[in-house]
Every structure is written in C-alpha cells, then in structure tokens.
Amino acid sequence: MIQKKKSILEKIKSRAFLVSGFYLFILILCTQSFYTQNDLNFGRRPLQNLAKTLRELSRPSFVRIWNGNEHLEYKSDDGVVLRTEDQKELEKTFLHSLLRSGWMTFKIATLGSLIAAILGFLLSWPASKKLKFPKFFFWSSNIIINFLRSIHSLVFGLLLVGIVGLGPMAGILALALHSTGSYGKLFSEAIDSLDLVEAHALRLSGANRIQIFFHAILPELLPQFMSTHLYVWEFNMRDSAVLGLVGAGGLGLLLSDAVALFQWQRLSTLLLFLFLLVSGFSYVSSKIRQELLS
Amino acid sequence: MNKNIVSLKNVSLTLDSKKPVLNNISLFLEAHHSLTLIGHNGAGKSSLLKLLVGDLHPDQGVVQLLGQNISKEMDKDTLRKLRSQIGFIHQGLHLVGRKSVLENVLMGRLAHNQSVKTWFNIFNSADYDIAYEALKDVKLQDKAMLRADHLSGGERQKTAIARALAQSPALILADEPTAALDPRASHEVAGLLKNLVEEKHLALITVVHSLELLDKISERLVVMKKGEILFDGNQKNITPDIFKTFYQE
C-alpha cells in the first residue's frame, strides 16, 4: 500500500517537473527570440521620456476651469498677436464633449451587453455539457461561442465600421458580437456547475419539464447569470471606451484625438474621467453582485 | 379488491455493475400501513424506492403502485399523475435554497396544478391553503417566508415533509430522512413523520439506519441484504444483537 502511494507521488512529482520544464522552455524560447531580433529595448531615453509624460499627465486640463487664462495670446515671432484664446471657455466645451462621449460610451456598453447577454443566454444551453443536447447543437454552439470569444471587439469594430459606417451602431454590434462569446461561455459554465438534484426531486414529484425549469433550475442560475451580466457589462464599459479609436463612437474618439495632437493634459483628464466612470460602475456592480450571490 | 398500495412481485434489477441490485424480491404494502426498510449500503433499499416512482425499471417482475403497473412503456402523463400521489422525501435535503419555505412547499402542488401561471410562481388559493396547512402540520408556519437555506437541518427536513404532504399523497417514501440530522432532530423528525402518516391515514415506506428510530416510525420492519429480503416482520422482536447481524457482511 505504502509502495503504491509512493509510486503515485513519484508520478505526480515527475508530471509536475515535466510541466514546469515545458513552461520554462517556452519562456526561454520567447525571450531568446526577442533578444536575437533586438526587440527587448526601451528606446533611446526611456527615463527622460517617462518623466516628461508623467509631468504632462500630472497637470490634467480640467483645472483650467479655475485657473485657465481667459486671454491667452498666441504671438508670431515678431510679436504680432495671432489669436487669443479663453482657456476657461475652451475647457468647458471640452468637458461638455467629454460628458457627451461618456454617456455615449455608457449607452454603447449597455446595449451591446444586453444584446450579447440575450444571444449568450440562448447559446449557453446547447453549449452546456450537463444538459446533453444533441451533438450537432452542442458542437455548433460551442464553435460559435469560441469563435466570437477569440476575436477582440476592436477587430469586430474595424470590420463593422466598414459595414455599418462610423458611429455607435458599429460599437454596439462589435461589443455584442465579442461578448456573446463571453456570455455563452460563462453562462454554460454556470449551467455545468448546477446541481440537478432539486430538478430531479421535482421530476419525481410529477412536475413537468417547464415547471422544473422555472422552479428548480432558473432560481439557481438567475443570480449567477445576473452577476455575470454585471461583470461583462462593466468590462464592456472599458472596451467601449477604446472602441472609439476605430471610429465606433464614444470616449475613444476623444482619446485618439488627444493622443494624435499630443494633448497630454487632456489625455490626463480623459483617463481620470474613464477611471471614475469605470470604478464607479465597478463599485455599484460589485455591491449588487455580492447581494445577488449571498 | 386488491388493497395493496405497493406491490412488487418477483422483481429483479441489475444496474451497470452487472451485479444484481435486487434479486427476485416480492414486497406488498397495504394502504394506510407503514414499513421501515433497513440494510447496509448497497443492499438495494434506494433502488427499491426508485422502482416505485418509475425512476428505475426492473429487468424482471412486476411493480405495481396504487393498482397500476409501472413500466418503461408507460406514457409520461400517466406516470406524472402517479408520481403526483407519492411524496418522496430524499436522502439529501433537496430544497431550492434560494426560495422561501412556502415556495418550496408549494412546489409539491406543481403536479396537481400544471397551469402556465405556476411557471411564474402564481398558484391558486386552494394550493396556498394546502401548502399552509402542510406547514402547520410540521409546525413551520412561522418560518414560511424564510429562505430555505437559512433553516437548520431539522427544519429543512420538516420543509421536505411539508412539501411531500402538499402533494396530498397516498404514499410517502422517505429515503433516510434523518441521515443528515443530529440525534435530537432525528427523533423529532421521525416522530413527526409517524404521527402525520397516522393522522392522515397515509402509507409510508422509510429507510433508516438506527434501531432506536425503528420504534418511532413503524411496527413492520423489512431487512434487505445483497438485494434480497432477509426479514419481513414485526420489529418488536428485534434485539440489538439481532439488529447487528443485519449489518454483518
């Protein structure tokens, strides 16, 4: 008996050794490949660049609302005033467009997530291993889920801008397509982890299939589904902010403008706003999720 | 007229292991009567209960419940109707934890009320009356609105009994209803089960593992061993020494 246990332990040890060895091999291979192509460098003056970027970012543009120059003059080399600028007014306009874009981002994330949740919900049942759907439905739903999951929403965004044109529709559909895969996967895993004993008990008491679904299966799954929905919705807030980079509407458009025009102080305001938006949403959603799953 | 509510004639059952789970057994139970099944794990007790609700089907022999043959060929509606008259109290506590005690008991009415409204938890007042009455029977009416997963083990088992009673059954099958309970709660639940069955003139088949509980539940004792019936008679004659032999290999 002891001998048997020892040999099992030996096997586990040798397997763990093999796996870690393989991982180490992959690490060495990746690093060596980068190194030989001289890709592992930080540019010419990384520290100075970092310091400069941090300096710019530490002065977010929104403070100009209070301390901005109302008569900022732009002069030519010979001292002629080319134009004057009211920084306070300009910043107010920027903040307005920031709020509008934030609202747009929120709308894109909300609708995209809802569409995805509905499609993911429908796909998750045949994709679940536990429910033993006919193989055709099981495989097709799993292939669709994995295909959608493997393509980033940004890539869908690029494709959809070409199909439905610039604007929020491309963003909504891009998020919906990618997230359908995420929802399908997470929902089907929730179904797989379901204990069917309650359902079995109801079946033996003479309840019909639909009654069993509504009374024993859905009550157990719904909180998990809602929690997943909030989680992916929150995730999509971040994603939809970036989607604007490819012209799919929302905060990303402002982000791409700020980067293209080297307006780091505006970028700083944008990032702060994004941080507040996402963390605020995350706080509320985590509170609701805690409540749902308790 | 055949008064037997349960009738198993020369029943044999083999599951995946190819070793017979039940070997040519015959067992009869009259309406309004009770019996207690005991035997070591794997003796075939749970399989026997499963045969009675059509969850398993015998390789040989006849299983009759409430005068009707139970077979693989039976149509689903007939089987459902038959099942609606059997209150099954399971080994584990098979309640929906997120639902209230009352909602769990109302689930016992599902087989009797197949209306679409029940999908959305809407039951008629007669169902509510029956469920509430069942809760009163097990003295849990004050906890009707509590979530089932907030109950103690004993209270959960009482909820399971109330759910079985809400089915308005002719027969109750209880598969180790006291297995997950401490000795005090076990005695309370066993006593409650016995009283309710007597009061409502129901038939009862219970599986237990404890000699002390036999007294609490029924006079008739059926001992199973390796898929066969070893003893079928009055439990009063069973001394602790004889009881021990039932569990010997």
Side-chain angles (χ1 to χ4, degrees):
Chain A
M1 194 65 187
I2 295 169
Q3 204 61 33
K4 202 178 172 186
K5 272 187 185 168
K6 264 187 183 172
S7 80
I8 291 171
L9 273 177
E10 286 299 319
K11 263 186 194 168
I12 293 171
K13 265 187 201 167
S14 66
R15 193 171 296 170
F17 186 73
L18 251 170
V19 171
S20 6
F22 184 63
Y23 182 62
L24 200 67
F25 170 72
I26 290 174
L27 278 183
I28 293 169
L29 194 72
C30 295
T31 320
Q32 196 263 348
S33 165
F34 273 133
Y35 187 75
T36 49
Q37 286 164 23
N38 201 22
D39 284 334
L40 290 182
N41 67 67
F42 292 98
R44 264 184 275 169
R45 291 180 303 169
L47 287 178
Q48 284 97 320
N49 289 341
L50 177 69
K52 192 180 163 203
T53 310
L54 286 179
R55 218 170 26 246
E56 293 283 345
L57 288 177
S58 66
R59 291 181 304 187
S61 62
F62 72 88
V63 293
R64 289 182 197 148
I65 290 265
W66 299 284
N67 67 6
N69 186 344
E70 285 174 62
H71 300 285
L72 180 68
E73 292 179 341
Y74 288 92
K75 292 177 182 171
S76 64
D77 293 342
D78 47 10
V80 180
V81 177
L82 296 172
R83 69 182 176 97
T84 52
E85 191 179 277
D86 181 351
Q87 279 191 310
K88 282 188 180 175
E89 205 51 45
L90 216 61
E91 195 54 31
K92 270 184 199 163
T93 318
F94 173 68
L95 288 181
H96 273 138
S97 66
L98 183 68
L99 286 176
R100 266 200 310 276
S101 300
W103 173 230
M104 175 69 84
T105 291
F106 182 78
K107 286 189 292 185
I108 293 174
T110 306
L111 276 190
S113 305
L114 180 69
I115 295 170
I118 295 168
L119 295 176
F121 179 82
L122 296 175
L123 279 170
S124 64
W125 299 94
S128 147
K129 285 182 200 125
K130 195 151 212 164
L131 299 180
K132 296 193 174 72
F133 267 71
K135 276 188 178 162
F136 172 76
F137 294 108
F138 174 75
W139 284 114
S140 359
S141 52
N142 269 296
I143 288 170
I144 295 171
I145 285 172
N146 287 326
F147 173 74
L148 295 175
R149 246 161 47 93
S150 63
I151 295 172
H152 198 279
S153 45
L154 212 58
V155 180
F156 276 128
L158 278 168
L159 281 170
L160 285 159
V161 162
I163 298 169
V164 298
L166 292 167
M169 196 58 193
I172 294 169
L173 293 178
L175 280 185
L177 282 173
H178 173 73
S179 308
T180 296
S182 311
Y183 277 114
K185 180 80 181 161
L186 293 167
F187 285 172
S188 70
E189 278 176 2
I191 297 170
D192 283 341
S193 64
L194 187 72
D195 199 349
L196 289 175
V197 287
E198 290 100 357
H200 188 63
L202 272 194
R203 191 171 71 85
L204 293 187
S205 75
N208 67 37
R209 276 167 187 261
I210 305 175
Q211 287 177 323
I212 293 169
F213 174 77
F214 278 103
H215 286 272
I217 294 179
L218 209 55
E220 295 291 333
L221 284 179
L222 211 54
Q224 287 192 56
F225 281 4
M226 295 291 286
S227 161
T228 304
H229 179 47
L230 283 166
Y231 181 73
V232 178
W233 188 4
E234 178 193 324
F235 190 83
N236 280 345
M237 291 282 289
R238 255 161 292 179
D239 251 21
S240 70
V242 183
L243 270 174
L245 289 174
V246 295
L251 281 171
L253 211 61
L254 294 182
L255 277 172
S256 100
D257 279 355
V259 174
L261 299 170
F262 303 108
Q263 295 171 325
W264 304 116
Q265 296 178 358
R266 283 206 164 159
L267 183 66
S268 176
T269 303
L270 269 165
L271 293 179
L272 269 174
F273 180 71
L274 196 60
F275 167 72
L276 287 176
L277 190 72
V278 173
S279 50
F281 191 91
S282 168
Y283 178 77
V284 175
S285 95
S286 73
K287 286 280 165 203
I288 300 174
R289 276 189 288 145
Q290 258 175 21
E291 196 61 36
L292 279 171
L293 296 178
S294 68
Chain B
M1 195 186 137
N2 186 2
K3 282 199 296 178
N4 287 332
I5 199 163
V6 169
S7 151
L8 288 113
K9 287 179 209 157
N10 307 107
V11 169
S12 295
L13 172 74
T14 309
L15 294 178
D16 306 334
S17 62
K18 295 197 176 156
K19 207 173 137 194
V21 180
L22 296 175
N23 195 6
N24 196 27
I25 65 162
S26 295
L27 183 72
F28 305 93
L29 179 71
E30 287 178 26
H32 321 311
H33 283 66
S34 299
L35 71 81
T36 306
L37 269 178
I38 65 161
H40 58 77
N41 289 337
K45 308 179 301 288
S46 295
S47 302
L48 192 145
L49 297 190
K50 283 180 182 170
L51 280 177
L52 294 178
V53 280
D55 199 25
L56 289 174
H57 297 284
D59 306 322
Q60 277 174 26
V62 181
V63 180
Q64 276 188 335
L65 195 73
L66 304 163
Q68 268 187 296
N69 275 11
I70 297 182
S71 66
K72 270 183 197 166
E73 292 76 31
M74 200 173 188
D75 78 276
K76 281 183 182 170
D77 280 336
T78 318
L79 181 62
R80 245 203 314 268
K81 270 185 196 145
L82 209 56
R83 282 174 172 170
S84 72
Q85 297 174 66
I86 308 166
F88 202 131
I89 300 163
H90 296 263
Q91 212 171 62
L93 302 163
H94 293 184
L95 301 176
V96 180
R98 293 182 166 277
K99 289 201 161 201
S100 72
V101 171
L102 180 63
E103 283 172 314
N104 269 287
V105 176
L106 275 167
M107 282 183 215
R109 299 302 303 160
L110 289 174
H112 296 275
N113 179 1
Q114 305 236 324
S115 129
V116 173
K117 286 182 185 170
T118 61
W119 301 358
F120 309 103
N121 239 351
I122 303 168
F123 289 84
N124 53 40
S125 56
D127 291 329
Y128 272 100
D129 289 346
I130 292 169
Y132 195 70
E133 202 54 43
L135 275 176
K136 262 168 60 180
D137 286 336
V138 298
K139 298 180 182 62
L140 270 188
Q141 68 272 33
D142 295 338
K143 303 208 166 171
M145 292 304 156
L146 270 187
R147 251 172 71 155
D149 54 5
H150 291 174
L151 298 177
S152 69
E155 288 168 338
R156 283 192 200 195
Q157 203 52 284
K158 285 183 192 172
T159 309
I161 295 174
R163 182 164 75 182
L165 289 177
Q167 282 181 244
S168 313
L171 166 71
I172 287 189
L173 303 176
D175 192 1
E176 297 188 39
T178 58
L181 307 179
D182 60 51
R184 205 173 131 254
S186 296
H187 281 262
E188 193 190 341
V189 165
L192 181 73
L193 200 56
K194 186 188 181 189
N195 292 342
L196 285 170
V197 164
E198 280 173 2
E199 252 172 50
K200 295 175 186 293
H201 308 293
L202 309 177
L204 169 74
I205 299 182
T206 328
V207 174
V208 289
H209 276 305
S210 149
L211 178 62
E212 292 158 34
L213 288 180
L214 291 184
D215 213 17
K216 291 261 173 200
I217 294 181
S218 72
E219 282 192 355
R220 184 173 166 198
L221 174 71
V222 174
V223 182
M224 293 187 71
K225 197 169 190 177
K226 291 180 182 167
E228 290 177 6
I229 290 178
L230 197 70
F231 174 88
D232 186 350
N234 194 317
Q235 51 99 359
K236 294 266 187 252
N237 311 321
I238 307 296
T239 62
D241 286 337
I242 301 174
F243 188 79
K244 262 185 212 162
T245 62
F246 296 151
Y247 283 91
Q248 276 165 7
E249 282 300 318

